[in-house]
Amino acid sequence: MNTSDEPLTSAKVLESVAGWLASASDWLWGLPLLYLLIGGGLYFTIYSRFTPFLYLWHGIQILRGKYSNPNDPGEINHFQALCSALSGTVGMGNITGVAVAVTQGGPGALFWMWVCALVGMATKFFTCSLAIMYRGRDHTGRVQGGPMYFIVEGLGTKWKPLAMAFCFFGLFGCLPMFQSNQLTAIVGEMFLKPNEWFVDSGNNVTTLGQGLFGVLLAVFVGAVILGGIQRIGKVAARLVPFMVVLYGGCALVILITHAGQIPEAFKLIFRDAFTGQAVTGGVLGAVISTGVRRAAFSNEAGMGTEAMAHGAAKTKEPIREGLVAMLGPMIDTLIVCTITGLVIINTGVWKKGVTMDRISKLKDGIVQYSKDTGSLPVSTKGLAQLTIVNDDSDNKEPYFETLHLKDSWGHPIEYGASGETDRNGFLLVSGGPDKTPGTPDDLTSEIDPRSYSGVMLIEKAYRIISPSVGPYLLLLCVLCFSFSSMIGFSYYVAKCGMFLFGPRARIPLILFYLAGIVVSAIVDLEYLINFLDIMFGMMAVPTILSTLLLSPRVMARAREYFATLGQTQ
C-alpha cells in the first residue's frame, strides 16, 4: 500500500468509528432508553399507587432538618445531599436542553418534559431509598451508598458484575468533557471575542486562550473536589440556591415584561403537546420523543447518579431520603426548565431557533437549484449566506418559491441583488423579524448553529433585560450551572473508580478528571462526545434493572414508615 494513502485510510477508519458511535448513541437515546426510563418511572408511579406524592410536604420538613440527627451514619445532611444531586442535574441541560427541545420539538415538548419529571420523581423515590436501605462499606470501612452498593448488598454478591458494569459506565459517562467544552465556547463567544482577548486574525479564540481558561476551570473545580463529598456538599448548598434564584429572578423580569403572553404561552404548550403543529408539522411522536429525551437527560432520574449523592446523607431511615430525592425533578424540571421554556416562548425567540434540519433543507435546495439550472458551484458562508451565480442572466425566478421553503425563523425566503457578485447573482437574505437585510443583524451571523442556538437563543431573550447587561447575567448563570455540574459529577467518577480500584485510586482519579477539563476546553469533541453519551446512557440499565427487582422491599419499608408516621401525627 502506498504510504501516501495511509492518512486517508486512517481518516476513513476514524470517520467510520465516529459514524458508528453516533448511530449507537442515537439508537440508545431513542426508544431503548425512553422505554427503560419512562416505562420504569410509570411502573414505579403505579406500583406505589402515588403514595409518595402524598408526603411531599413531609419531604420538605425533612429537608429543613426537622428529623435530622447528627449522629446518624452518613457524611452530609439532607439539604447538602439534595444540593449535591442538583449540582449535577441543574446544569446546561436546563438552558441549552430546553432551548433545543422547544425549537426542534415545539412548545408542546415542554409538556412532555413535565410528564417525565413526574414519573422521574417516583423513580428517584425508589432508587434513593435503596441507596440508604442497602448501604455498603468501601475498602476503608466508610459507609457508602449508590447503585453499585445496593446491587451487591440487596441482590447478593452474585450480582457484583452488574455493579461493576455500572461503575465502568459511570467512570466515563460522568466525565465533564461536554460541560467544559461548551462553557469554554460560550465564554469565548460572549466574553473573549467581543473584548478581542486571545483571538487570532480570523476572530477565533486561540488554543492558548482556550487552554488558560481550561486550566482556570480545573483549578477552581480541584479546590472543591479534593475536599471530598463534605466540601462538595457545603459548596453545593450555597451555590445551587444562589444560581436558581439568580436565574429565576432574571427570568422573572423577562416574563413580567411579557406578562400578557403568559396565558397564550400555556395554551400553546398544551395545544401543541397533542397536535405537534407548531414545529413538527403534526408529527406528534417527534414532539413527545424530543420532550422525553431532554427531560431524561436533564433530571437524570434512573441514571444512578442521584442515588450516589443521596447515599451519602446522614440518616437511618431510607424512606426519608427517598422523599427528599423526589424534590429534585420538581426543582430541576418543573421549575428551572419551565422558567427557560416560558422565557423562550413568551419572547418569541423560539421561532427563530436554528435546527440542523432546516439548515440542511436550505442547503440541499440551493445545491439542487445549482444542478437544475447549470449554475456555478454554490458558495456557503457559515451555512447562511448562500450565493448562487446563474449562467442565464435572464433567469431570475426565485426557485424556492415553488418549494415553499422558509428560513430559520419560518418566514418565506426572499431574494435580493448581491453587491458581492455580478449582475447575475442572487443573495439569500432573511425576511425574519427584527432583521434588516444587508446589515450585521441579518441572517448571515445568526443562523450559524454555534452562535444562535442553545444558550445563544436564551441570550437573545436576556437582552430584553438590558442589551449590555443581560448577556453577562446569563453568562454568570451559565458559569454557575456548568461549575456546579463539574463538581457534582466529580464525586460520581471518584466513587465509581474507587469501587473498581480501591480508595488509593482517589487522587489519580481526580487528576484524570481535572485533566479532562483542560483537554476538552481545547480539543474538538466530535469523535468523543457520542462515546460519553453512550457510557452515560448505559448507566441506566443496571440502575433500573436492580431497582425493579428490589422495588417490593422499598414499598414494604414505605408502608411501615408511613403507618408509623400516621400514628405519631
Side-chain angles (χ1 to χ4, degrees):
M1 181 182 292
N2 192 327
T3 56
S4 63
D5 293 333
E6 290 183 4
L8 180 61
T9 303
S10 301
K12 285 185 175 180
V13 170
L14 186 61
E15 185 177 345
S16 177
V17 172
W20 181 87
L21 288 174
S23 299
S25 177
D26 288 341
W27 176 83
L28 179 65
W29 280 98
L31 293 179
L33 276 181
L34 295 188
Y35 284 140
L36 186 66
L37 295 174
I38 305 308
L42 285 172
Y43 170 81
F44 296 133
T45 303
I46 297 170
Y47 181 64
S48 67
R49 297 181 180 180
F50 299 89
T51 304
F53 291 89
L54 304 177
Y55 292 90
L56 286 177
W57 175 247
H58 180 61
I60 294 174
Q61 290 178 314
I62 298 169
L63 186 66
R64 295 173 60 187
K66 183 176 180 179
Y67 300 90
S68 296
N69 184 346
N71 297 320
D72 282 345
E75 299 180 77
I76 53 180
N77 61 39
H78 294 291
F79 182 71
Q80 291 172 339
L82 178 63
C83 288
S84 296
L86 285 173
S87 69
T89 59
V90 179
M92 288 302 293
N94 298 87
I95 300 178
T96 58
V98 178
V100 170
V102 175
T103 55
Q104 293 189 351
L110 189 60
F111 172 83
W112 295 107
M113 292 184 73
W114 297 338
V115 172
C116 294
L118 292 174
V119 299
M121 291 170 70
T123 301
K124 286 201 174 187
F125 172 77
F126 279 84
T127 57
C128 295
S129 293
L130 286 170
I132 301 297
M133 189 181 299
Y134 292 108
R135 283 199 279 207
R137 294 186 180 275
D138 60 20
H139 296 76
T140 63
R142 181 176 296 178
V143 173
Q144 298 285 357
M148 66 283 265
Y149 290 101
F150 67 66
I151 289 172
V152 174
E153 300 295 326
L155 296 176
T157 54
K158 65 180 180 180
W159 290 84
K160 191 171 183 178
L162 189 66
M164 296 183 72
F166 171 83
C167 291
F168 173 77
F169 297 139
L171 190 62
F172 295 99
C174 292
L175 287 174
M177 301 291 195
F178 178 75
Q179 290 88 345
S180 173
N181 183 269
Q182 291 297 294
L183 182 57
T184 302
I186 291 166
V187 170
E189 291 291 333
M190 297 178 62
F191 191 69
L192 298 181
K193 286 185 179 181
N195 291 285
E196 297 184 350
W197 294 348
F198 299 105
V199 294
D200 56 23
S201 58
N203 199 35
N204 296 311
V205 179
T206 62
T207 302
L208 176 62
Q210 294 171 329
L212 288 175
F213 182 73
V215 170
L216 185 66
L217 265 182
V219 168
F220 280 108
V221 172
V224 176
I225 67 178
L226 284 169
I229 186 59
Q230 292 182 334
R231 188 178 297 172
I232 291 173
K234 289 178 180 178
V235 172
R238 290 173 173 82
L239 179 61
V240 170
F242 167 76
M243 67 187 193
V244 171
V245 170
L246 173 65
Y247 186 63
C250 293
L252 186 61
V253 173
I254 297 173
L255 293 177
I256 289 175
T257 60
H258 292 75
Q261 284 81 24
I262 293 179
E264 184 59 34
F266 277 104
K267 289 180 183 178
L268 182 59
I269 291 170
F270 285 104
R271 183 171 62 248
D272 190 52
F274 299 98
T275 63
Q277 293 294 336
V279 169
T280 64
V283 183
L284 184 57
V287 181
I288 298 174
S289 176
T290 302
V292 169
R293 180 171 178 172
R294 291 298 165 183
F297 196 78
S298 174
N299 60 54
E300 297 177 19
M303 307 306 297
T305 53
E306 74 284 359
M308 287 190 279
H310 286 279
K314 285 188 174 184
T315 183
K316 291 180 179 179
E317 182 48 67
I319 303 305
R320 287 179 183 169
E321 198 58 33
L323 292 172
V324 171
M326 290 180 70
L327 301 174
M330 181 186 296
I331 296 170
D332 174 270
T333 305
L334 296 182
I335 295 178
V336 180
C337 287
T338 300
I339 286 173
T340 303
L342 287 177
V343 166
I344 294 171
I345 296 169
N346 276 26
T347 57
V349 298
W350 69 277
K351 298 178 182 178
K352 309 173 189 179
V354 176
T355 67
M356 293 308 297
D357 180 59
R358 288 170 177 168
I359 292 174
S360 177
K361 288 179 180 177
L362 211 59
K363 289 185 66 180
D364 290 346
I366 289 286
V367 171
Q368 187 63 45
Y369 176 80
S370 178
K371 292 178 179 178
D372 291 349
T373 60
S375 305
L376 295 177
V378 176
S379 171
T380 303
K381 299 181 180 180
L383 299 178
Q385 198 178 54
L386 310 173
T387 305
I388 302 173
V389 180
N390 196 333
D391 288 339
D392 183 3
S393 60
D394 295 327
N395 185 3
K396 296 184 179 181
E397 182 180 352
Y399 177 74
F400 282 103
E401 216 170 62
T402 58
L403 293 182
H404 305 290
L405 293 185
K406 299 179 180 180
D407 64 17
S408 64
W409 292 276
H411 290 260
I413 290 173
E414 299 177 359
Y415 285 83
S418 171
E420 298 180 0
T421 62
D422 58 22
R423 62 189 179 92
N424 300 327
F426 294 97
L427 177 66
L428 180 67
V429 298
S430 166
D434 68 41
K435 298 285 167 273
T436 306
T439 69
D441 197 32
D442 191 19
L443 182 66
T444 306
S445 63
E446 296 190 355
I447 197 174
D448 190 329
R450 294 171 298 175
S451 65
Y452 201 63
S453 61
V455 70
M456 298 309 292
L457 199 66
I458 311 296
E459 186 262 359
K460 199 73 175 176
Y462 264 63
R463 288 183 178 274
I464 294 171
I465 298 176
S466 168
S468 57
V469 178
Y472 289 100
L473 286 174
L474 179 62
L475 178 60
L476 179 60
C477 293
V478 168
L479 283 168
C480 291
F481 278 36
S482 298
F483 183 75
S484 73
S485 294
M486 284 187 274
I487 64 172
F489 272 61
S490 70
Y491 178 64
Y492 307 145
V493 170
K495 199 161 187 173
C496 289
M498 287 191 291
F499 184 86
L500 294 173
F501 308 117
R504 292 184 179 180
R506 179 175 178 270
I507 298 301
L509 285 166
I510 290 177
L511 294 177
F512 168 66
Y513 187 87
L514 296 176
I517 293 177
V518 179
V519 171
S520 58
I522 301 172
V523 302
D524 186 357
L525 297 183
E526 179 182 0
Y527 299 115
L528 184 61
I529 193 66
N530 287 315
F531 170 75
L532 298 177
D533 282 347
I534 292 170
M535 292 293 103
F536 185 70
M538 287 299 296
M539 293 172 66
V541 176
T543 302
I544 295 294
L545 177 60
S546 57
T547 304
L548 287 171
L549 294 172
L550 293 168
S551 58
R553 304 186 199 181
V554 176
M555 281 311 300
R557 189 68 174 263
R559 282 189 286 268
E560 293 177 7
Y561 179 78
F562 293 140
T564 303
L565 183 64
Q567 292 174 0
T568 57
Q569 292 179 345

